[in-house]
Coordinates of all heavy atoms in Angstrom, one line a residue:
M439 N -130.2 -83.1 38.2 CA -129.5 -84.0 37.2 C -128.0 -83.9 37.4 O -127.4 -82.8 37.7 CB -129.9 -83.7 35.7 CG -131.3 -84.0 35.4 SD -131.7 -85.7 35.4 CE -131.1 -86.3 34.0
F440 N -127.3 -85.0 37.2 CA -125.8 -84.9 37.4 C -125.1 -85.6 36.2 O -125.7 -86.5 35.6 CB -125.4 -85.8 38.6 CG -125.9 -85.3 40.0 CD1 -127.3 -85.6 40.4 CD2 -125.1 -84.4 40.7 CE1 -127.8 -85.0 41.6 CE2 -125.6 -83.9 41.9 CZ -126.9 -84.1 42.3
L441 N -124.0 -85.0 35.9 CA -123.0 -85.6 34.8 C -121.9 -86.4 35.7 O -121.2 -85.6 36.3 CB -122.6 -84.6 33.9 CG -121.6 -85.1 32.9 CD1 -122.3 -86.2 31.9 CD2 -120.8 -84.0 32.1
Y442 N -121.9 -87.6 35.5 CA -120.7 -88.3 36.2 C -119.7 -88.7 35.0 O -120.2 -89.2 34.0 CB -121.2 -89.6 36.8 CG -120.2 -90.4 37.5 CD1 -119.6 -89.9 38.5 CD2 -119.8 -91.7 37.0 CE1 -118.5 -90.5 39.2 CE2 -118.9 -92.4 37.7 CZ -118.2 -91.8 38.8 OH -117.2 -92.5 39.4
N443 N -118.5 -88.4 35.2 CA -117.4 -88.5 34.2 C -116.3 -89.3 34.7 O -115.8 -89.0 35.8 CB -117.0 -87.2 33.7 CG -115.9 -87.2 32.7 OD1 -116.2 -87.4 31.4 ND2 -114.6 -87.1 33.0
V444 N -115.9 -90.3 34.0 CA -114.7 -91.1 34.3 C -113.7 -90.8 33.1 O -114.1 -91.2 31.9 CB -115.0 -92.6 34.5 CG1 -113.8 -93.3 34.9 CG2 -116.1 -92.8 35.6
S445 N -112.6 -90.2 33.5 CA -111.5 -90.1 32.4 C -110.6 -91.2 32.6 O -110.1 -91.5 33.7 CB -110.9 -88.8 32.6 OG -111.7 -87.6 32.4
V446 N -110.2 -91.9 31.4 CA -109.4 -93.0 31.3 C -108.1 -92.6 30.5 O -108.4 -92.3 29.3 CB -110.1 -94.3 30.8 CG1 -109.2 -95.4 30.8 CG2 -111.2 -94.5 31.6
I447 N -107.0 -92.7 31.0 CA -105.8 -92.4 30.3 C -105.0 -93.7 30.1 O -104.6 -94.3 31.2 CB -104.9 -91.3 30.9 CG1 -105.7 -90.1 31.2 CG2 -103.7 -91.1 30.2 CD1 -105.0 -89.0 32.1
A448 N -104.9 -94.2 29.0 CA -104.2 -95.5 28.7 C -103.0 -95.4 27.8 O -103.1 -94.5 26.8 CB -105.3 -96.4 28.0
E449 N -102.0 -96.2 28.0 CA -100.8 -96.2 27.1 C -101.3 -96.6 25.7 O -102.2 -97.4 25.5 CB -99.7 -97.1 27.6 CG -99.0 -96.7 28.8 CD -97.9 -97.6 29.2 OE1 -97.7 -98.7 28.5 OE2 -97.2 -97.2 30.2
E450 N -100.6 -96.1 24.7 CA -101.0 -96.4 23.4 C -101.0 -98.0 23.0 O -101.8 -98.3 22.2 CB -100.3 -95.6 22.3 CG -100.6 -94.1 22.4 CD -100.0 -93.3 21.2 OE1 -99.7 -93.8 20.2 OE2 -99.6 -92.2 21.5
T451 N -100.0 -98.6 23.7 CA -99.9 -100.1 23.4 C -101.0 -100.9 23.8 O -101.3 -102.0 23.2 CB -98.6 -100.6 24.1 OG1 -98.7 -100.4 25.5 CG2 -97.3 -99.9 23.5
I452 N -101.9 -100.4 24.7 CA -103.0 -101.2 25.2 C -104.3 -100.5 25.1 O -105.4 -101.1 25.5 CB -102.8 -101.8 26.6 CG1 -102.4 -100.6 27.6 CG2 -101.7 -102.7 26.7 CD1 -103.6 -100.1 28.3
H453 N -104.4 -99.3 24.6 CA -105.6 -98.6 24.7 C -106.8 -99.2 23.9 O -108.0 -99.2 24.4 CB -105.5 -97.2 24.1 CG -105.5 -97.0 22.7 ND1 -106.4 -96.7 21.9 CD2 -104.4 -97.2 21.8 CE1 -106.1 -96.5 20.6 NE2 -104.9 -96.9 20.5
H454 N -106.6 -100.0 22.8 CA -107.6 -100.7 22.1 C -108.3 -101.7 23.0 O -109.6 -102.0 23.0 CB -107.2 -101.4 20.9 CG -106.8 -100.4 19.8 ND1 -107.7 -99.7 19.1 CD2 -105.6 -100.2 19.3 CE1 -107.1 -98.9 18.2 NE2 -105.7 -99.1 18.3
E455 N -107.5 -102.4 23.8 CA -108.0 -103.4 24.8 C -109.0 -102.8 25.8 O -110.0 -103.3 26.2 CB -106.9 -104.2 25.6 CG -106.0 -105.0 24.6 CD -104.7 -105.4 25.3 OE1 -104.8 -105.8 26.4 OE2 -103.7 -105.4 24.6
I456 N -108.6 -101.6 26.3 CA -109.3 -101.0 27.3 C -110.7 -100.4 26.7 O -111.7 -100.6 27.3 CB -108.5 -99.7 27.9 CG1 -107.3 -100.3 28.7 CG2 -109.4 -98.9 28.9 CD1 -107.6 -101.1 29.9
V457 N -110.5 -99.8 25.6 CA -111.8 -99.4 24.9 C -112.7 -100.5 24.6 O -114.0 -100.4 24.9 CB -111.5 -98.7 23.6 CG1 -112.6 -98.3 22.8 CG2 -110.8 -97.2 24.0
S458 N -112.2 -101.6 24.2 CA -113.1 -102.7 23.9 C -113.8 -103.3 25.2 O -115.0 -103.6 25.2 CB -112.2 -103.9 23.3 OG -113.0 -105.0 23.1
W459 N -113.0 -103.3 26.4 CA -113.7 -103.7 27.5 C -114.7 -102.7 28.0 O -115.8 -103.1 28.4 CB -112.6 -103.8 28.6 CG -113.0 -104.5 30.0 CD1 -113.0 -105.8 30.2 CD2 -113.7 -103.9 31.0 NE1 -113.6 -106.1 31.4 CE2 -114.0 -104.9 31.9 CE3 -114.2 -102.6 31.2 CZ2 -114.8 -104.6 33.1 CZ3 -114.8 -102.4 32.5 CH2 -115.1 -103.2 33.3
I460 N -114.4 -101.5 27.9 CA -115.4 -100.5 28.2 C -116.6 -100.5 27.4 O -117.8 -100.5 27.9 CB -114.8 -98.9 28.1 CG1 -113.7 -98.8 29.2 CG2 -115.8 -97.9 28.3 CD1 -112.8 -97.5 29.0
E461 N -116.4 -100.7 26.1 CA -117.7 -100.8 25.2 C -118.5 -102.1 25.5 O -119.7 -102.0 25.6 CB -117.2 -101.0 23.8 CG -116.8 -99.6 23.2 CD -116.1 -99.7 21.8 OE1 -115.7 -100.9 21.3 OE2 -116.1 -98.6 21.1
D462 N -117.8 -103.2 25.8 CA -118.6 -104.4 26.2 C -119.2 -104.4 27.5 O -120.2 -105.0 27.7 CB -117.6 -105.6 26.1 CG -117.1 -105.9 24.6 OD1 -117.7 -105.3 23.6 OD2 -116.1 -106.6 24.5
N463 N -118.5 -103.8 28.5 CA -119.0 -103.9 29.9 C -119.8 -102.7 30.4 O -120.3 -102.8 31.5 CB -117.8 -104.3 30.7 CG -117.3 -105.6 30.4 OD1 -117.9 -106.7 30.9 ND2 -116.3 -105.7 29.6
I464 N -119.5 -101.6 29.8 CA -120.1 -100.4 30.4 C -121.0 -99.7 29.3 O -122.3 -99.4 29.7 CB -119.0 -99.4 30.8 CG1 -118.2 -99.9 31.8 CG2 -119.7 -98.0 31.2 CD1 -117.1 -99.0 32.4
V465 N -120.6 -99.4 28.1 CA -121.4 -98.7 27.1 C -122.6 -99.5 26.8 O -123.7 -99.0 26.6 CB -120.6 -98.3 25.9 CG1 -121.4 -97.8 24.8 CG2 -119.4 -97.5 26.2
Q466 N -122.5 -100.9 26.8 CA -123.6 -101.7 26.4 C -124.6 -101.8 27.5 O -125.6 -102.6 27.4 CB -123.1 -103.0 25.8 CG -122.3 -102.9 24.6 CD -123.0 -102.3 23.5 OE1 -124.2 -102.5 23.2 NE2 -122.2 -101.4 22.6
S467 N -124.4 -101.3 28.7 CA -125.3 -101.4 29.9 C -126.7 -101.0 29.5 O -127.0 -100.1 28.8 CB -124.8 -100.5 31.0 OG -125.7 -100.4 31.9
Q468 N -127.6 -101.9 30.0 CA -129.0 -101.6 29.8 C -129.6 -100.8 31.0 O -130.7 -100.2 30.9 CB -129.8 -102.9 29.7 CG -129.3 -103.8 28.6 CD -129.7 -103.2 27.2 OE1 -130.7 -102.8 26.9 NE2 -128.7 -103.1 26.3
K469 N -128.7 -100.6 31.9 CA -129.2 -99.9 33.2 C -128.9 -98.4 33.1 O -129.7 -97.6 33.6 CB -128.6 -100.5 34.4 CG -129.2 -100.1 35.7 CD -128.6 -100.9 36.8 CE -129.3 -100.5 38.1 NZ -128.8 -101.2 39.2
F470 N -127.9 -98.0 32.3 CA -127.5 -96.6 32.3 C -127.3 -96.2 30.8 O -126.8 -97.1 30.1 CB -126.1 -96.4 33.1 CG -126.2 -96.9 34.5 CD1 -125.7 -98.0 34.9 CD2 -126.8 -96.0 35.5 CE1 -125.7 -98.4 36.2 CE2 -126.8 -96.4 36.8 CZ -126.3 -97.6 37.2
R471 N -127.5 -94.9 30.6 CA -127.3 -94.4 29.3 C -125.8 -93.8 29.3 O -125.6 -92.9 30.0 CB -128.2 -93.4 28.9 CG -128.1 -92.9 27.5 CD -129.2 -92.0 27.0 NE -128.9 -91.5 25.7 CZ -129.4 -90.3 25.3 NH1 -130.1 -89.6 26.0 NH2 -129.0 -90.0 24.1
V472 N -124.9 -94.4 28.6 CA -123.4 -94.1 28.7 C -123.0 -93.6 27.3 O -123.4 -94.2 26.3 CB -122.7 -95.4 29.1 CG1 -121.2 -95.1 29.2 CG2 -123.1 -96.0 30.4
H473 N -122.1 -92.6 27.4 CA -121.4 -92.1 26.2 C -119.9 -92.3 26.4 O -119.4 -92.0 27.5 CB -121.7 -90.6 26.0 CG -123.1 -90.3 25.8 ND1 -123.9 -90.4 24.6 CD2 -124.1 -89.9 26.7 CE1 -125.0 -90.1 24.7 NE2 -125.3 -89.8 26.0
L474 N -119.3 -92.7 25.4 CA -117.8 -92.9 25.3 C -117.2 -92.0 24.5 O -117.6 -92.0 23.2 CB -117.4 -94.4 25.0 CG -116.0 -94.6 24.9 CD1 -115.3 -94.4 26.4 CD2 -115.7 -96.1 24.6
L475 N -116.3 -91.2 24.9 CA -115.7 -90.2 24.0 C -114.1 -90.3 24.0 O -113.6 -90.7 25.1 CB -116.1 -88.7 24.6 CG -117.5 -88.3 24.6 CD1 -118.1 -88.7 25.9 CD2 -117.7 -86.9 24.3
E476 N -113.6 -89.9 22.9 CA -112.2 -89.8 22.8 C -111.7 -88.3 23.0 O -112.2 -87.5 22.2 CB -111.6 -90.4 21.6 CG -110.0 -90.4 21.5 CD -109.6 -90.9 20.1 OE1 -110.4 -91.6 19.4 OE2 -108.5 -90.7 19.8
M477 N -110.8 -88.0 23.9 CA -110.4 -86.7 24.0 C -109.4 -86.4 22.8 O -108.4 -87.2 22.7 CB -109.6 -86.4 25.3 CG -109.3 -84.9 25.6 SD -108.5 -84.6 27.1 CE -109.9 -84.8 28.2
L478 N -109.7 -85.3 22.1 CA -108.7 -84.9 21.0 C -107.7 -83.9 21.6 O -108.0 -83.1 22.6 CB -109.4 -84.3 19.9 CG -110.5 -85.1 19.3 CD1 -111.3 -84.3 18.3 CD2 -110.0 -86.4 18.8
Q479 N -106.5 -83.9 21.1 CA -105.4 -83.0 21.6 C -105.3 -83.0 23.2 O -105.3 -82.1 23.8 CB -105.8 -81.6 21.1 CG -105.9 -81.4 19.6 CD -106.3 -80.2 19.1 OE1 -106.9 -79.4 19.9 NE2 -106.1 -80.0 17.8
S480 N -105.2 -84.3 23.7 CA -105.0 -84.4 25.1 C -103.7 -83.9 25.6 O -102.8 -84.2 24.8 CB -105.3 -85.9 25.4 OG -105.0 -86.1 26.8
P481 N -103.6 -83.3 26.6 CA -102.3 -82.9 27.2 C -101.5 -84.1 27.8 O -100.4 -83.9 28.2 CB -102.8 -81.8 28.3 CG -104.0 -82.2 28.8 CD -104.7 -82.8 27.6
H482 N -102.1 -85.2 27.8 CA -101.5 -86.4 28.5 C -100.8 -87.3 27.4 O -101.3 -87.4 26.3 CB -102.5 -87.2 29.3 CG -103.4 -86.4 30.2 ND1 -102.9 -85.9 31.3 CD2 -104.6 -85.9 30.1 CE1 -103.8 -85.1 32.0 NE2 -104.8 -85.3 31.3
E483 N -99.9 -88.0 27.8 CA -99.4 -89.0 26.9 C -100.2 -90.2 26.9 O -100.9 -90.5 27.8 CB -97.9 -89.5 27.4 CG -96.9 -88.5 27.3 CD -95.4 -89.0 27.5 OE1 -95.2 -90.3 27.3 OE2 -94.6 -88.2 28.0
G484 N -100.3 -90.9 25.7 CA -101.2 -92.0 25.7 C -102.5 -91.5 25.1 O -102.7 -90.4 24.5
M485 N -103.5 -92.3 25.2 CA -104.8 -92.0 24.7 C -105.8 -91.7 25.9 O -105.8 -92.4 26.9 CB -105.5 -93.2 24.0 CG -104.5 -93.6 22.8 SD -104.4 -92.4 21.5 CE -106.0 -92.4 20.8
T486 N -106.6 -90.6 25.7 CA -107.5 -90.3 26.9 C -108.9 -90.5 26.4 O -109.4 -89.9 25.3 CB -107.3 -88.8 27.3 OG1 -106.0 -88.6 27.7 CG2 -108.3 -88.4 28.4
Y487 N -109.8 -91.1 27.1 CA -111.2 -91.4 26.9 C -112.1 -90.9 28.1 O -111.5 -90.9 29.2 CB -111.4 -92.9 26.7 CG -110.6 -93.5 25.5 CD1 -109.5 -94.0 25.6 CD2 -111.1 -93.2 24.2 CE1 -108.6 -94.5 24.6 CE2 -110.5 -93.8 23.1 CZ -109.1 -94.4 23.3 OH -108.4 -94.8 22.3
C488 N -113.3 -90.6 27.8 CA -114.1 -90.2 28.8 C -115.4 -90.9 28.7 O -116.1 -91.1 27.7 CB -114.5 -88.7 28.7 SG -113.2 -87.6 29.0
I489 N -115.8 -91.6 30.0 CA -117.1 -92.3 30.1 C -118.0 -91.3 30.8 O -117.8 -90.8 31.8 CB -116.8 -93.5 30.9 CG1 -115.8 -94.4 30.3 CG2 -118.2 -94.2 30.9 CD1 -115.3 -95.5 31.2
Q490 N -119.1 -90.9 30.1 CA -120.0 -89.9 30.7 C -121.4 -90.5 30.8 O -121.8 -91.2 29.9 CB -120.0 -88.6 29.8 CG -118.7 -88.0 29.8 CD -118.7 -86.6 29.2 OE1 -119.7 -86.3 28.3 NE2 -117.9 -85.7 29.6
V491 N -122.0 -90.3 31.9 CA -123.3 -90.7 32.2 C -124.2 -89.7 32.9 O -123.7 -89.0 33.7 CB -123.3 -92.0 33.2 CG1 -124.7 -92.6 33.2 CG2 -122.3 -92.9 32.9
V492 N -125.3 -89.4 32.4 CA -126.2 -88.4 33.0 C -127.2 -89.2 33.9 O -127.9 -90.2 33.5 CB -127.0 -87.6 31.8 CG1 -128.1 -86.6 32.6 CG2 -126.2 -86.9 31.0
L493 N -127.2 -88.8 35.2 CA -127.9 -89.5 36.3 C -128.8 -88.6 36.9 O -128.3 -87.4 37.2 CB -126.9 -90.3 37.1 CG -126.2 -91.4 36.3 CD1 -125.0 -91.8 37.2 CD2 -127.0 -92.6 35.9
P494 N -130.0 -89.0 37.5 CA -130.8 -88.2 38.2 C -130.5 -87.8 39.6 O -131.0 -86.8 40.1 CB -132.2 -88.8 38.1 CG -131.9 -90.3 38.0 CD -130.5 -90.4 37.2
S495 N -129.6 -88.7 40.2 CA -129.4 -88.4 41.6 C -128.0 -89.0 42.0 O -127.4 -89.7 41.2 CB -130.4 -89.1 42.5 OG -130.2 -90.5 42.4
E496 N -127.5 -88.6 43.2 CA -126.3 -89.0 43.6 C -126.3 -90.5 43.9 O -125.3 -91.1 43.9 CB -125.8 -88.2 44.8 CG -125.3 -86.7 44.4 CD -124.9 -86.0 45.5 OE1 -123.7 -86.0 45.7 OE2 -125.7 -85.2 46.1
E497 N -127.5 -90.9 44.4 CA -127.6 -92.5 44.7 C -127.4 -93.2 43.3 O -126.8 -94.4 43.4 CB -129.0 -92.8 45.2 CG -129.2 -92.2 46.6 CD -129.6 -90.7 46.6 OE1 -130.0 -90.1 45.7 OE2 -129.3 -90.1 47.6
H498 N -127.8 -92.8 42.1 CA -127.6 -93.4 40.9 C -126.2 -93.5 40.5 O -125.7 -94.4 40.0 CB -128.5 -92.7 39.8 CG -129.8 -93.0 40.0 ND1 -130.8 -92.2 40.6 CD2 -130.6 -94.0 39.3 CE1 -132.0 -92.7 40.5 NE2 -132.0 -93.8 39.7
I499 N -125.4 -92.4 41.0 CA -124.0 -92.3 40.7 C -123.3 -93.4 41.5 O -122.5 -94.2 41.0 CB -123.4 -91.0 41.1 CG1 -123.9 -89.9 40.2 CG2 -121.8 -91.1 41.1 CD1 -123.6 -88.6 40.5
T500 N -123.7 -93.6 42.7 CA -123.2 -94.7 43.6 C -123.5 -96.0 43.0 O -122.6 -96.9 42.9 CB -123.8 -94.6 45.1 OG1 -123.3 -93.4 45.6 CG2 -123.2 -95.7 45.9
D501 N -124.7 -96.2 42.5 CA -125.0 -97.5 41.8 C -124.2 -97.7 40.6 O -123.7 -98.8 40.4 CB -126.5 -97.4 41.4 CG -127.0 -98.7 40.9 OD1 -126.5 -99.7 41.4 OD2 -128.1 -98.7 40.2
F502 N -123.9 -96.7 39.7 CA -123.1 -96.8 38.6 C -121.6 -97.2 39.1 O -121.1 -98.0 38.4 CB -123.1 -95.5 37.8 CG -122.2 -95.6 36.5 CD1 -122.6 -96.2 35.4 CD2 -120.9 -95.2 36.6 CE1 -121.8 -96.2 34.3 CE2 -120.0 -95.3 35.6 CZ -120.5 -95.8 34.4
Q503 N -121.1 -96.6 40.1 CA -119.8 -96.9 40.6 C -119.7 -98.3 41.0 O -118.8 -98.9 40.6 CB -119.4 -95.9 41.7 CG -119.2 -94.5 41.2 CD -119.2 -93.6 42.5 OE1 -119.7 -93.8 43.5 NE2 -118.3 -92.5 42.2
Q504 N -120.7 -98.8 41.7 CA -120.7 -100.2 42.2 C -120.8 -101.2 41.0 O -120.1 -102.1 41.0 CB -121.9 -100.5 43.1 CG -121.8 -99.7 44.4 CD -120.7 -100.2 45.2 OE1 -120.3 -101.4 45.3 NE2 -119.9 -99.2 45.8
V505 N -121.6 -100.9 40.0 CA -121.9 -101.9 38.9 C -120.7 -101.8 37.9 O -120.4 -102.8 37.3 CB -123.3 -101.5 38.2 CG1 -123.4 -102.4 37.0 CG2 -124.3 -101.7 39.1
H506 N -120.1 -100.6 37.6 CA -119.2 -100.4 36.5 C -117.8 -99.9 36.9 O -116.8 -100.4 36.3 CB -119.8 -99.4 35.4 CG -120.9 -100.0 34.8 ND1 -120.9 -101.2 34.1 CD2 -122.3 -99.6 34.7 CE1 -122.2 -101.4 33.5 NE2 -123.0 -100.6 34.0
L507 N -117.7 -98.9 37.7 CA -116.4 -98.4 38.0 C -115.5 -99.4 38.9 O -114.4 -99.6 38.5 CB -116.5 -97.1 38.8 CG -115.2 -96.3 39.1 CD1 -114.6 -95.9 37.7 CD2 -115.5 -95.1 39.9
I508 N -116.1 -100.0 39.8 CA -115.2 -100.9 40.6 C -114.8 -102.1 39.8 O -113.5 -102.4 39.7 CB -116.1 -101.5 41.9 CG1 -116.2 -100.3 42.8 CG2 -115.4 -102.7 42.4 CD1 -117.0 -100.6 44.0
P509 N -115.5 -102.7 38.9 CA -114.9 -103.7 38.0 C -113.8 -103.1 37.0 O -112.8 -103.9 36.8 CB -116.1 -104.3 37.1 CG -117.3 -104.0 38.1 CD -116.9 -102.8 38.7
L510 N -114.0 -101.9 36.5 CA -113.0 -101.4 35.7 C -111.7 -101.1 36.5 O -110.6 -101.5 36.1 CB -113.4 -100.1 35.1 CG -112.5 -99.3 34.3 CD1 -112.0 -100.1 33.1 CD2 -113.1 -98.0 33.7
Q511 N -111.8 -100.7 37.7 CA -110.6 -100.4 38.6 C -109.9 -101.7 38.9 O -108.7 -101.8 38.9 CB -111.0 -99.8 39.9 CG -111.5 -98.3 39.7 CD -112.1 -97.8 40.9 OE1 -112.8 -98.4 41.7 NE2 -111.9 -96.5 41.3
Q512 N -110.8 -102.8 39.1 CA -110.1 -104.2 39.4 C -109.4 -104.6 38.1 O -108.2 -105.2 38.3 CB -111.2 -105.2 39.8 CG -111.8 -104.9 41.2 CD -113.0 -105.7 41.5 OE1 -113.7 -106.2 40.7 NE2 -113.2 -105.9 42.7
L513 N -109.9 -104.5 37.0 CA -109.3 -104.9 35.7 C -107.9 -104.1 35.6 O -106.9 -104.8 35.2 CB -110.2 -104.6 34.5 CG -109.5 -104.7 33.2 CD1 -109.3 -106.3 32.8 CD2 -110.2 -104.0 32.1
I514 N -108.0 -102.9 35.8 CA -106.7 -102.1 35.6 C -105.7 -102.5 36.7 O -104.5 -102.7 36.3 CB -107.1 -100.6 35.8 CG1 -107.9 -100.0 34.6 CG2 -105.8 -99.7 36.0 CD1 -108.5 -98.7 34.8
S515 N -106.0 -102.7 37.9 CA -105.1 -103.1 38.9 C -104.6 -104.6 38.7 O -103.4 -104.8 39.0 CB -105.6 -102.9 40.4 OG -106.6 -104.0 40.6
E516 N -105.3 -105.4 38.1 CA -104.9 -106.8 37.9 C -104.1 -107.0 36.6 O -103.2 -107.7 36.5 CB -106.1 -107.7 38.0 CG -106.7 -107.8 39.3 CD -108.1 -108.6 39.4 OE1 -108.5 -109.1 38.2 OE2 -108.7 -108.6 40.3
S517 N -104.5 -106.3 35.6 CA -104.0 -106.6 34.2 C -103.2 -105.3 33.6 O -102.5 -105.5 32.6 CB -105.1 -106.8 33.2 OG -105.8 -108.1 33.7
Y518 N -103.5 -104.2 34.1 CA -102.9 -103.0 33.3 C -102.2 -102.0 34.4 O -102.1 -100.8 34.1 CB -103.9 -102.3 32.6 CG -104.5 -103.2 31.5 CD1 -105.9 -103.6 31.7 CD2 -103.8 -103.5 30.3 CE1 -106.3 -104.4 30.7 CE2 -104.3 -104.3 29.4 CZ -105.7 -104.7 29.6 OH -106.2 -105.6 28.5
K519 N -101.6 -102.5 35.4 CA -101.1 -101.6 36.5 C -99.9 -100.8 35.8 O -99.2 -101.3 35.1 CB -100.4 -102.5 37.6 CG -100.0 -101.7 38.7 CD -99.6 -102.6 39.9 CE -99.2 -101.7 41.0 NZ -98.9 -102.5 42.2
D520 N -100.0 -99.6 36.2 CA -99.0 -98.6 35.6 C -99.1 -98.3 34.1 O -98.3 -97.6 33.4 CB -97.6 -98.9 35.9 CG -97.4 -99.1 37.4 OD1 -98.0 -98.2 38.2 OD2 -96.5 -99.9 37.9
K521 N -100.2 -98.8 33.5 CA -100.5 -98.6 32.0 C -101.7 -97.8 31.8 O -102.0 -97.3 30.7 CB -100.4 -99.9 31.2 CG -99.1 -100.5 31.2 CD -99.2 -101.9 30.4 CE -97.9 -102.5 30.5 NZ -97.1 -102.4 29.4
V522 N -102.6 -97.8 32.8 CA -103.9 -97.0 32.7 C -104.1 -96.2 34.1 O -103.9 -96.7 35.0 CB -105.0 -98.0 32.6 CG1 -106.3 -97.3 32.4 CG2 -104.8 -98.9 31.3
F523 N -104.5 -95.0 33.9 CA -104.8 -94.2 35.0 C -106.3 -93.7 34.8 O -106.6 -93.4 33.6 CB -103.9 -93.0 35.0 CG -104.2 -92.0 36.0 CD1 -104.0 -92.3 37.4 CD2 -104.7 -90.7 35.7 CE1 -104.2 -91.3 38.4 CE2 -105.1 -89.8 36.7 CZ -104.9 -90.1 38.0
L524 N -107.0 -93.6 35.8 CA -108.4 -93.1 35.7 C -108.8 -92.2 36.8 O -108.2 -92.3 38.0 CB -109.5 -94.2 35.5 CG -109.7 -95.2 36.5 CD1 -110.8 -94.6 37.5 CD2 -110.3 -96.4 35.9
F525 N -109.6 -91.2 36.6 CA -110.1 -90.4 37.6 C -111.6 -90.0 37.4 O -111.9 -90.0 36.2 CB -109.2 -89.2 37.9 CG -109.1 -88.2 36.7 CD1 -110.0 -87.2 36.5 CD2 -108.1 -88.5 35.8 CE1 -109.8 -86.4 35.5 CE2 -108.0 -87.6 34.7 CZ -108.9 -86.5 34.7
D526 N -112.3 -89.7 38.3 CA -113.8 -89.4 38.1 C -114.1 -88.1 38.7 O -113.3 -87.5 39.5 CB -114.6 -90.5 38.7 CG -114.5 -90.7 40.2 OD1 -113.5 -90.3 40.8 OD2 -115.4 -91.2 40.8
S527 N -115.2 -87.6 38.2 CA -115.6 -86.2 38.7 C -117.2 -86.3 38.5 O -117.8 -86.9 37.5 CB -115.1 -85.1 37.8 OG -115.3 -85.3 36.5
T528 N -117.8 -85.6 39.3 CA -119.3 -85.3 39.3 C -119.7 -84.0 39.2 O -119.1 -83.1 39.9 CB -119.9 -85.9 40.6 OG1 -119.6 -87.3 40.8 CG2 -121.4 -85.8 40.6
M529 N -120.6 -83.6 38.2 CA -121.0 -82.3 38.0 C -122.6 -82.2 38.1 O -123.2 -83.1 37.8 CB -120.5 -81.7 36.7 CG -119.0 -81.6 36.6 SD -118.3 -81.8 34.9 CE -118.0 -83.5 34.8
K530 N -123.0 -81.2 38.6 CA -124.4 -80.9 38.8 C -124.9 -80.0 37.7 O -124.4 -78.8 37.5 CB -124.7 -80.4 40.1 CG -126.3 -80.3 40.4 CD -126.4 -79.9 41.9 CE -127.9 -79.7 42.1 NZ -128.1 -79.2 43.5
Y531 N -126.0 -80.3 37.0 CA -126.6 -79.3 36.1 C -127.2 -78.2 36.9 O -127.9 -78.5 37.8 CB -127.6 -80.0 35.1 CG -127.0 -80.9 34.2 CD1 -126.8 -82.3 34.4 CD2 -126.7 -80.4 33.0 CE1 -126.4 -83.0 33.4 CE2 -126.2 -81.1 31.9 CZ -125.9 -82.5 32.2 OH -125.3 -83.2 31.2
L532 N -127.0 -76.9 36.4 CA -127.5 -75.8 37.2 C -128.9 -75.4 36.7 O -129.8 -74.9 37.4 CB -126.6 -74.6 37.1 CG -125.2 -74.8 37.7 CD1 -124.4 -73.6 37.5 CD2 -125.3 -75.1 39.2
K533 N -129.1 -75.7 35.4 CA -130.5 -75.4 34.9 C -131.0 -76.7 34.1 O -130.2 -77.4 33.5 CB -130.5 -74.1 33.9 CG -130.1 -73.0 34.6 CD -130.3 -71.7 33.7 CE -129.9 -70.5 34.6 NZ -130.6 -69.4 34.2
K534 N -132.2 -76.9 34.2 CA -132.8 -78.0 33.3 C -133.2 -77.6 32.0 O -133.6 -76.6 31.6 CB -134.0 -78.5 34.2 CG -133.5 -79.1 35.4 CD -134.6 -79.6 36.2 CE -134.2 -80.3 37.5 NZ -135.1 -80.9 38.3

């Protein structure tokens, strides 16, 4: 099992728009079980959110990226350039 995490750091002026898009286009997904978290006491300026998905294989991670991450990256580059930064990480569960 893998935990795939996408951290999204958004300027305070537009963070509601980003969260709304994530909720409508990723969290509501019928294909993946997604959790959206807000980071408290973030060391970054702006608002930090984490999109977390537990997936059974690396192939499922690739599928999630194709379906959800690429459209989010496109939205950011087209509408929120220099206002939103994101990075992703993959973690493997050591014990079941």
